[in-house]
Amino acid sequence: MLQEGDILIAESGMAQFGFSDAVLPNSVRYITQLYFGSIGYSVPACFGAALAQKESGKPGRTVLVVGDGSLQLTAQEIGTMIKHGLRNVIIIVIDNDGYTIERAIHGPEHAYNDIAAWNH
Ligand SMILES: Cc1ncc(C[n+]2csc(CCOP(=O)(O)OP(=O)(O)O)c2C)c(N)n1
Ligand SMILES: [Mg+2]
C-alpha cells in the first residue's frame, strides 16, 4: 500500500521488528527508534512528520504502524493531529491484546503485559 513520497513510522514492539527487513518503494522515508526505545514515541512522531509533510507541499501520506500497548501512552496526540487538520495520516493499530513482544521475551503469563481493551 505504500507509495512514493510516503513516510512510514514503526513503533517499538512487533511493528518495529516486522519492518526491520522490509523492502520499501523508492523515496519512502522510514522513522523508528533504537530497539526498545520508549514506547509511545511514534504517535507524536507521526504528528510531527505529518505536519512537516503537509507544510512541504509535497504529496504523500504519513503512515504509522503502532501496537495497542504503545498507543495507549500517547494517544492524545491523535487529538492534536485532528486539531491541526492533518488529513494525510493513516494509523494502523496492531491490536494483539497487550505487550506481545514482552510476552515473547519475558514469558507469556505476566499480568503486567495485559492492557485495557480499547475499541479502536
Ligand atoms: C516507556 C517504556 N515502557 C516500557 C517499555 C518496554 N516495552 C518495550 S516494547 C513493549 C510492548 C509494546 O507493546 P505493543 O505496543 O502493544 O506492541 P506489540 O509487541 O504487542 O506488537 C514494552 C512494554 C519501553 N520500551 N518503554
Ligand atoms: Mg500489542
Side-chain angles (χ1 to χ4, degrees):
M1 64 160 285
L2 290 167
Q3 303 166 2
E4 286 194 24
D6 287 349
I7 300 170
L8 171 66
I9 302 172
E11 178 62 87
S12 297
M14 302 302 288
Q16 184 182 56
F17 277 89
F19 277 114
S20 61
D21 59 356
V23 178
L24 303 176
N26 284 337
S27 83
V28 169
R29 284 167 291 174
Y30 179 59
I31 298 173
T32 193
Q33 302 185 79
L34 295 172
Y35 283 119
F36 272 73
S38 293
I39 59 172
Y41 158 86
S42 70
V43 189
C46 176
F47 164 51
L51 188 63
Q53 190 177 43
K54 179 185 176 189
E55 291 181 350
S56 78
K58 296 176 185 164
R61 296 91 42 93
T62 299
V63 180
L64 168 63
V65 184
V66 58
D68 51 354
S70 301
L71 176 65
Q72 290 196 7
L73 275 74
T74 50
Q76 73 271 23
E77 296 309 326
I78 296 174
T80 315
M81 292 183 232
I82 294 167
K83 177 182 146 188
H84 283 264
L86 297 174
R87 307 206 181 281
N88 56 334
V89 178
I90 297 171
I91 299 176
I92 298 170
V93 181
I94 302 177
D95 186 352
N96 54 15
D97 198 25
Y99 297 156
T100 298
I101 196 124
E102 293 277 325
R103 291 190 183 111
I105 294 170
H106 296 301
E109 304 302 335
H110 298 303
Y112 54 71
N113 291 321
D114 302 334
I115 61 171
W118 283 10
N119 183 353
H120 298 102

